[in-house]
Amino acid sequence: MSKFFSKRFSRHLLAALILVSACVAGPARAQDAAAPFDGELQRLAEILGTLHYLRGICGTNEGLKWRNEMQALVDAETPSGERRARMIAGFNRGYNGFQQTYRTCTPAASIAIRRYIEEGSKISRDLTARYAN
């Protein structure tokens, strides 16, 4: 997996984080009220969990990069209660789902990495396009 896809995804994720932060800084929401982009955030969290696991077994030497990206997403959104629990559960679901399937890096795991990076980039771009002022 090339670093190009990883860097591009990270740039899109950063843009989405900034956007989410701006949306959160707007009118206050009820503590556990769903944001219109919660579904996308939960899917993004699941993708980050998947990448955290798969990139680790495929020897990319990224360490905690994808976990840190998830932490940055949580920090930007600052969800509480059930919203926070759902985001974290998504990350864990992505990680655990692939941990049960892959023990070593395989060609299928490499394809999955590429597809998840592409999907994560698309979600980040769509969030930015849809919710940017």
Side-chain angles (χ1 to χ4, degrees), residues 65-129:
K65 174 185 178 168
W66 299 102
R67 187 194 173 287
N68 292 340
E69 295 283 359
M70 176 62 187
Q71 186 62 54
L73 184 62
V74 170
D75 291 346
E77 177 62 12
T78 61
S80 60
E82 188 60 33
R83 289 183 74 233
R84 179 181 176 84
R86 284 191 303 266
M87 286 179 72
I88 292 169
F91 181 88
N92 291 336
R93 187 172 41 256
Y95 186 94
N96 293 330
F98 280 87
Q99 185 181 40
Q100 294 174 5
T101 305
Y102 295 98
R103 299 286 181 213
T104 61
C105 189
T106 65
S110 294
I111 290 169
I113 288 169
R114 188 179 69 244
R115 288 181 179 165
Y116 280 107
I117 286 176
E118 288 170 2
E119 183 182 354
S121 293
K122 181 181 183 319
I123 291 170
S124 296
R125 281 190 313 271
D126 291 349
L127 281 171
T128 303

Side-chain angles (χ1 to χ4, degrees), residues 2-103:
S2 76
K3 288 189 179 207
F4 172 74
F5 286 112
S6 176
K7 287 180 182 178
R8 187 175 69 187
F9 177 63
S10 291
R11 277 186 268 139
H12 288 293
L13 182 59
L14 178 61
L17 291 174
I18 292 168
L19 171 70
V20 168
S21 295
C23 290
V24 170
R29 294 190 312 256
Q31 185 174 353
D32 285 336
F37 46 80
D38 274 358
E40 290 97 338
L41 287 182
Q42 288 177 34
R43 180 61 182 152
L44 191 55
E46 190 171 339
I47 289 168
L48 292 171
T50 298
L51 291 172
H52 181 56
Y53 180 73
L54 288 177
R55 299 279 286 183
I57 65 168
C58 286
T60 58
N61 297 320
E62 292 175 328
L64 297 176
K65 174 185 178 168
W66 299 102
R67 187 194 173 287
N68 292 340
E69 295 283 359
M70 176 62 187
Q71 186 62 54
L73 184 62
V74 170
D75 291 346
E77 177 62 12
T78 61
S80 60
E82 188 60 33
R83 289 183 74 233
R84 179 181 176 84
R86 284 191 303 266
M87 286 179 72
I88 292 169
F91 181 88
N92 291 336
R93 187 172 41 256
Y95 186 94
N96 293 330
F98 280 87
Q99 185 181 40
Q100 294 174 5
T101 305
Y102 295 98
R103 299 286 181 213

